[in-house]
Amino acid sequence: MSGAPSHPAESVPLPSQPLPPSTGEISDGLGFSIVGIGASAGGLDACRKFAGALPAGNGMAFILVQHLDPTYESMMVDLLTGHTPMRVVQAADGMLVERNHFYVIPPGMYLSVAGGALRLSHPLARHGARLPFDFLLHSLAEECGELAICVILSGTGADGSLGLKSVKELGGLVIAQDPDEAGYDGMPRSAIATGLVDIVLAAADIPRKLVTYDRRMRLTRLTGNSPARPEGGDWLPAIIELLRTDTSHDFSLYKQGTLRRRTERRMAMAAIEPEESSRYLDILKSDPRELDLLAKDLLINVTSFFRDGKVFDLLAEKIIPDLVTGRKSGQPLRIWSVGCSSGEETYSLSMLFHERIAALNPSLKLQVFASDVDPDAIAIARDGLYPETIGAEVSPERLKRFFTKEDHGYRVTSELRESVVFTVQDVLADPPFSRLDFISCRNLLIYLGAEAQAKVISLFHFALHEGGLLLLGNSETIGAAEGRFEVVSKQERLYRRNGSGRGKPAELGFSMNPGGGMRLPARPGQEPASPRPGVLAELCHRLVIETCAPATVLINRKYECLYFLGPTDGYLQVSPGYAMHDIIAMARDGVRTKLRLAIQRASHENTRVVIDGGTITRDGDLFSFSIAAQPVLNDGEEFLLICFIDGPKVERKPEGQAALQDVPRINELERELEATRSDLQDSIYNFEVLSEEQKAINEEALSVNEEYQSTNEELLTSKEELQSLNEELTALNTQLHETLERQRTASNDLQNVLYSSEVATLFLDMDLNIRFFTPATKSLFRVISSDVGRPLADLKSISANDTLVADAATVLRTQARVEQEIETLDGSWYIRRVMPYRTQKGGVEGVVVTFVDITERKRVSDALAVAKQQAEQASAAKSRFLASASHDLRQPLQTLTLLQGLLGTVVEGDKARRLLELFEATLAAMSGMLNTLL
């Protein structure tokens, strides 16, 4: 998993050196970079800024994927043509991808890249989700590898968050627009949330970074393909050593090519020229953040749910059902997910096992161990929160069963989470888990060297019990460990552990070539070691052995004869008595001494030894001979190859040629020689007796040593098993600490809620005994902490007619809440609610009683009732008064009205009219007063 995205402090300048000219050649996935751009229909402004900042002749191809309405014709080509010097065209099926071209997806189609050309297809989206940008990125990563570049601009949703993982895994570059600048920040934020975005920039600044990065990567590739470049270089070992000392990661056993490409990619992002590798090393030494980003980039933590569907189909249909049904009751099923990254594959396996266990063996317990060397990836896996885009990988049924929907994502359920133990572990350094039924290690070995791969396979052989299964990635094999595993499915890379092999966690699991020895010759009846076996070769081989090969014997370190070749009867004979295979005892007179000397020197010096000067009588003639002894190593066992090499005949002087004066001296010498021979023979006999005794002692010591070795191996195995158990306990302890911390936080939150609400609350168990109460309860009942466990009936009633115990019993029986208002003995009023105490699984384990103080509300209610009654009384009095006043005023008003009529008929002149107007005004005032009163 990549670290946090980098935010450059200032824009990167355009390259000062000219770029190679565009040749218009067709992209074959290796020739030039192809940039996939994703945006929604509302990202037009961002697309214009991006296209407008692209320089002419940049040497790259650009493919824009927008979320367009399939029922309307797109106008993006016309809208972008005036904003970029590049040629903008709408993509067509089979159109060749060329440099300095800007391709736009047509509405209602999916667009991909294959064979250097664009391919259009109708959407066949899984689960109804349409993710055209993800579709393009997957094909782009497969086609171009490290030349693929992903750019995510303004847009809604999360399209691109899945496809960028493929680009990142194969060494491509991922850039996102700054969400604060984007008109719609859904797509950029979702991409950044994956932790795999390399760079975050404003839309107008992205082209400059792209051009600089592409130029430096091109120069790096040109330098890397140059024959003048030294193998291995000088800077990579120094960077690996710096990572080992200053971080928690040791990459010394990883493949050097992968490390080099990833490091060169980081150098290009940091604007470091290929020849300035020493400057990048200085940056790493002075900038811990860049060192951490490089380490995370080298880890390549990219995964997804149900990756490689055929593998999971095989597991679900054939493998997991056999594991579940074949497990005895009481024995847990133990799984290990190695290199789990952010947990998607681990949860995928767990879902399959949970489904089969629920269907075939519900009582079976599942234990899943998941490990990774990256603590940040493990933290994400433990949290179990994933973006909404996993809906394209996980079926709706599994989403509903194993996930809960949250804001902008899905979180794994507690059932699935509790079956997995996540731990930080380096499989190359830390002891493994043991007694496992299934190990999944996919796409980890491909990044390790041969030595590390052999060690990991040896560890897996130790960790699995007999018949356990090992799942590897599509590009991985078990290498030279075929004897320890048998193939279950070659295509899906599934293997079963057998009982052979002597691998231990302390071993690397690879064999060393023996030195100083030779291969054993082929035995009769075996195929000769010939590059082209045939009849003539076999005949030649046999004739040479029969006619030219010396008498030869193969013995072991106990001097026991194992195989004879050629005329050995001239040098060896069968001794009378019990049958013996000791070559010293079988040696003829005159041969035994030199044979023993040759064997001792060859064993001591561990090299080929030739002893000359031996003579032997054959058919009355004296012949010379030599003995050659050579050590042999085969499959770890030591042998000696003894060859008796015939020499020329020794000529004897005729009798009587000696001078007469020499006869006494010769006779004396012969007697001395005979005495010496007799003494030597006695010494040899005594030596042989001592040798036999010493050999018996050596055999006893060897037997004791073998017993000690066996005991030591058992102790070593026990030690490794204890280390594995300790690793498991450490992981469980870490998990427990995190669980306790979460529970402690939840408990503190709950306690603060209960205490701050100031609501008196009683928690009762199934027997109506007190199990917990809040501090506010002490204001109603005289309870202290030691009252936990007392029956509810022991508490003094707070009201004259208290039915609390009866109501609690009713709630336990009916599981329906009971609510009523009660008055305490001191005149206070409370709303008492009696509710069932429900668990997360929906069961009832007691009663919860709450008392809400409504005394003030009750007083206000009573005051309102009194005020209402008083208002009603005042209203009645007002009505009576108005009725009386109305009666008293109506009669004068009628009289005045009659007078007005009379005056209107009899009065004339101005003075009379003024008198009439005054009279009418008086009448109007009296009418208004009457209406107001009414």
Side-chain angles (χ1 to χ4, degrees):
M1 182 189 68
S2 175
S6 57
H7 297 262
E10 51 187 50
S11 61
V12 181
L14 287 172
S16 56
Q17 301 180 12
L19 292 169
S22 174
T23 61
E25 62 183 305
I26 308 307
S27 171
D28 58 357
L30 296 175
F32 53 86
S33 298
I34 301 180
V35 183
I37 308 165
S40 69
L44 177 60
D45 182 63
C47 293
R48 284 177 172 174
K49 291 179 179 178
F50 177 85
L54 285 172
N58 55 69
M60 294 179 283
F62 299 84
I63 303 175
L64 173 62
V65 172
Q66 270 192 304
H67 299 161
L68 302 174
D69 190 335
T71 61
Y72 291 93
E73 183 178 354
S74 173
M75 299 181 63
M76 284 300 297
V77 174
D78 298 331
L79 294 174
L80 294 179
T81 299
H83 291 79
T84 176
M86 301 177 64
R87 182 182 177 187
V88 183
V89 296
Q90 183 166 288
D93 189 45
M95 180 180 289
L96 300 178
V97 181
E98 301 180 64
R99 298 177 187 265
N100 304 315
H101 279 61
F102 201 106
Y103 303 93
V104 179
I105 188 173
M109 302 296 290
Y110 269 11
L111 179 60
S112 61
V113 179
L118 299 177
R119 301 297 178 187
L120 293 178
S121 59
H122 292 283
L124 296 174
R126 190 179 175 188
H127 310 320
R130 289 195 175 188
L131 302 172
F133 190 41
D134 282 328
F135 189 81
L136 171 67
L137 292 179
H138 286 307
S139 68
L140 200 60
E142 184 176 353
E143 175 76 7
C144 303
E146 62 182 13
L147 294 177
I149 299 177
C150 166
V151 175
I152 300 178
L153 300 179
S154 172
T156 59
D159 193 11
S161 297
L162 294 179
L164 67 85
K165 295 181 179 180
S166 300
V167 174
K168 183 74 173 182
E169 182 178 13
L170 295 178
L173 181 68
V174 180
I175 302 178
Q177 182 182 4
D178 190 343
D180 296 334
E181 183 212 31
Y184 301 92
D185 62 355
M187 288 176 60
R189 289 194 185 279
S190 179
I192 294 172
T194 64
L196 301 177
V197 174
D198 295 301
I199 303 171
V200 176
L201 286 173
D205 296 332
I206 294 177
R208 292 177 175 269
K209 188 69 174 180
L210 275 179
V211 172
T212 304
Y213 171 82
D214 180 66
R215 172 184 168 275
R216 284 181 169 83
M217 288 301 295
R218 247 184 287 171
L219 292 176
T220 299
R221 288 192 293 271
L222 291 175
T223 306
N225 296 329
S226 173
R229 180 178 177 174
E231 285 293 330
D234 296 328
W235 53 267
L236 185 59
I239 290 178
I240 293 176
E241 179 63 20
L242 183 63
L243 289 167
R244 188 186 67 82
T245 55
D246 291 8
T247 70
S248 59
H249 306 296
D250 184 2
F251 295 99
S252 58
L253 295 179
Y254 283 60
K255 289 183 178 178
Q256 300 295 296
T258 302
L259 298 179
R260 181 176 301 281
R261 288 193 301 272
R262 292 277 169 170
T263 306
E264 289 173 344
R265 177 179 173 276
R266 290 297 311 177
M267 292 169 62
M269 293 172 58
I272 301 295
E273 298 292 342
E275 63 273 10
E276 297 178 336
S277 55
S278 59
R279 187 162 73 89
Y280 184 64
L281 185 60
D282 295 336
I283 293 176
L284 293 177
K285 292 179 180 178
S286 60
D287 187 356
R289 184 172 178 272
E290 176 63 24
L291 186 66
D292 185 61
L293 289 176
L294 174 61
K296 292 185 179 299
D297 212 14
L298 296 178
L299 291 176
I300 320 175
N301 282 326
V302 179
T303 184
S304 59
F305 285 96
F306 298 100
R307 189 179 190 184
D308 301 326
K310 293 182 179 179
V311 175
F312 284 94
D313 292 341
L314 173 68
L315 295 178
E317 295 171 4
K318 298 181 179 180
I319 304 304
I320 296 179
D322 293 341
L323 288 174
V324 172
T325 55
R327 176 62 54 190
K328 297 180 181 179
S329 178
Q331 295 183 353
L333 197 61
R334 295 167 60 85
I335 315 298
W336 184 17
S337 177
V338 186
C340 67
S341 186
S342 50
E344 287 91 333
E345 182 157 318
T346 302
Y347 287 125
S348 300
L349 287 171
S350 300
M351 282 187 268
L352 294 184
F353 277 98
H354 275 284
E355 290 172 349
R356 295 302 179 267
I357 289 174
L360 303 174
N361 192 355
S363 62
L364 181 63
K365 182 180 179 182
L366 178 65
Q367 293 180 345
V368 182
F369 302 98
S371 63
D372 196 275
V373 73
D374 188 0
D376 294 335
I378 288 294
I380 296 175
R382 284 171 176 163
D383 192 34
L385 180 62
Y386 298 99
E388 295 177 340
T389 51
I390 68 171
E393 304 170 337
V394 184
S395 65
E397 295 78 11
R398 287 176 175 146
L399 280 177
K400 182 178 180 181
R401 177 178 177 183
F402 296 107
F403 293 86
T404 57
K405 186 69 172 67
E406 296 187 1
D407 293 340
H408 308 295
Y410 291 93
R411 188 182 298 276
V412 296
T413 60
S414 58
E415 174 193 11
L416 186 63
R417 176 64 185 85
E418 289 171 358
S419 63
V420 185
V421 176
F422 290 100
T423 182
V424 178
Q425 181 190 44
D426 186 353
V427 71
L428 295 175
D430 299 325
F433 299 101
S434 61
R435 298 175 289 110
L436 300 169
D437 300 282
F438 185 91
I439 294 178
S440 173
C441 179
R442 304 179 67 207
N443 302 320
L444 171 63
L445 298 182
I446 57 176
Y447 302 112
L448 304 179
E451 178 183 345
Q453 290 183 9
K455 178 179 180 180
V456 172
I457 293 297
S458 178
L459 291 175
F460 291 162
H461 183 266
F462 167 80
L464 288 168
H465 66 59
E466 179 68 21
L469 295 171
L470 172 63
L471 178 65
L472 300 179
N474 291 337
S475 302
E476 300 169 335
T477 64
I478 57 174
E482 290 87 351
R484 300 179 180 182
F485 294 90
E486 61 183 22
V487 178
V488 177
S489 176
K490 185 176 182 179
Q491 183 176 2
E492 279 73 26
R493 300 296 193 271
L494 186 64
Y495 304 89
R496 188 186 308 276
R497 181 197 189 274
N498 57 33
S500 63
R502 296 175 291 178
K504 303 179 183 66
E507 299 176 353
L508 291 178
F510 57 90
S511 59
M512 300 295 293
N513 294 325
M518 59 177 290
R519 293 188 177 273
L520 296 180
R523 297 185 181 183
Q526 291 183 337
E527 192 72 14
S530 173
R532 293 185 300 168
V535 177
L536 295 178
E538 173 65 22
L539 176 62
C540 180
H541 180 77
R542 179 170 55 81
L543 290 177
V544 169
I545 291 179
E546 291 177 355
T547 58
C548 301
T552 305
V553 183
L554 181 69
I555 66 174
N556 58 20
R557 289 298 184 178
K558 297 180 181 180
Y559 298 177
E560 295 176 342
C561 299
L562 303 178
Y563 189 77
F564 299 92
L565 182 68
T568 58
D569 56 337
Y571 300 94
L572 304 177
Q573 64 181 358
V574 179
S575 301
Y578 292 103
M580 298 181 61
H581 295 282
D582 190 304
I583 192 172
I584 301 298
M586 297 172 64
R588 292 182 180 272
D589 294 338
V591 177
R592 185 177 293 111
T593 302
K594 294 187 177 297
L595 177 61
R596 180 183 288 108
L597 178 61
I599 292 175
Q600 289 176 349
R601 286 184 56 187
S603 300
H604 177 70
E605 299 174 7
N606 196 28
T607 187
R608 189 173 186 271
V609 174
V610 179
I611 303 297
D612 299 318
T615 57
I616 189 172
T617 302
R618 187 183 303 138
D619 297 330
D621 295 326
L622 190 64
F623 292 86
S624 64
F625 69 91
S626 301
I627 299 178
Q630 180 169 347
V632 177
L633 293 176
N634 186 67
D635 294 335
E637 192 171 356
E638 298 178 351
F639 303 94
L640 283 174
L641 189 68
I642 309 299
C643 296
F644 299 96
I645 304 172
D646 295 333
K649 181 180 178 180
V650 179
E651 298 293 336
R652 296 181 178 179
K653 292 182 179 182
E655 296 182 1
Q657 290 186 359
L660 294 177
Q661 61 272 19
D662 294 335
V663 171
R665 179 60 180 166
I666 292 174
N667 292 335
E668 181 181 357
L669 292 175
E670 288 180 349
R671 287 194 298 271
E672 291 179 0
L673 178 60
E674 187 65 28
T676 302
R677 285 179 175 175
S678 178
D679 293 341
L680 179 61
Q681 190 68 30
D682 293 339
S683 300
I684 291 174
Y685 176 78
N686 294 332
F687 177 76
E688 289 178 349
V689 172
L690 293 175
S691 178
E692 291 295 331
E693 294 177 354
Q694 184 65 34
K695 192 180 297 182
I697 295 173
N698 289 339
E699 290 178 353
E700 293 180 1
L702 183 61
S703 176
V704 173
N705 184 53
E706 290 177 352
E707 292 180 0
Y708 283 149
Q709 184 68 23
S710 176
T711 304
N712 184 50
E713 291 181 357
E714 292 177 0
L715 291 175
L716 180 60
T717 303
S718 300
K719 174 188 174 183
E720 299 296 344
E721 290 179 351
L722 288 175
Q723 288 180 341
S724 299
L725 181 59
N726 182 58
E727 184 73 22
E728 184 175 333
L729 291 175
T730 301
L732 290 173
N733 186 47
T734 303
Q735 194 83 5
L736 180 60
H737 276 297
E738 293 180 353
T739 303
L740 289 176
E741 186 62 30
R742 287 196 298 268
Q743 290 181 348
R744 185 180 298 110
T745 302
S747 177
N748 291 336
D749 293 342
L750 179 60
Q751 183 176 359
N752 280 277
V753 169
L754 291 175
Y755 287 9
S756 62
S757 63
E758 297 183 355
V759 176
T761 307
L762 275 172
F763 295 87
L764 309 176
D765 58 18
M766 295 297 291
D767 297 326
L768 300 184
N769 296 329
I770 300 174
R771 60 193 301 176
F772 181 72
F773 56 86
T774 61
T777 310
K778 297 179 181 179
S779 63
L780 297 178
F781 301 95
R782 295 193 176 187
V783 289
I784 56 177
S785 57
S786 61
D787 288 332
V788 173
R790 288 182 56 189
L792 176 64
D794 289 354
L795 298 182
K796 183 179 179 181
S797 176
I798 62 174
S799 64
N801 184 19
D802 196 357
T803 59
L804 177 57
V805 177
D807 290 346
T810 301
V811 169
L812 277 180
R813 184 177 65 258
T814 64
Q815 298 185 9
R817 63 185 291 173
V818 175
E819 180 176 330
Q820 64 176 344
E821 295 183 358
I822 63 171
E823 183 181 10
T824 61
L825 298 177
D826 60 359
S828 300
W829 284 86
Y830 292 87
I831 293 180
R832 187 185 66 195
R833 297 186 181 94
V834 185
M835 300 166 289
Y837 181 95
R838 298 189 182 277
T839 62
Q840 289 185 349
K841 296 182 179 180
V844 176
E845 294 185 357
V847 174
V848 179
V849 184
T850 62
F851 297 86
V852 180
D853 190 354
I854 59 171
T855 303
E856 190 64 27
R857 189 175 72 182
K858 198 73 173 176
R859 291 173 182 172
V860 172
S861 178
D862 292 343
L864 288 175
V866 173
K868 183 178 179 181
Q869 184 179 4
Q870 293 176 351
E872 290 175 351
Q873 293 175 356
S875 179
K878 172 187 174 184
S879 298
R880 288 194 300 270
F881 171 77
L882 291 177
S884 176
S886 175
H887 182 270
D888 294 339
L889 290 174
R890 285 181 188 276
Q891 187 173 1
L893 185 61
Q894 293 173 357
T895 303
L896 290 174
T897 303
L898 181 59
L899 290 176
Q900 180 185 11
L902 293 175
L903 288 174
T905 57
V906 300
V907 177
E908 295 181 356
D910 293 338
K911 185 175 182 181
R913 276 195 300 272
R914 286 197 298 271
L915 179 62
L916 181 59
E917 290 173 358
L918 179 62
F919 187 82
E920 288 176 351
T922 304
L923 181 60
M926 292 182 65
S927 297
M929 185 182 299
L930 179 61
N931 291 332
T932 301
L933 292 175
L934 293 178

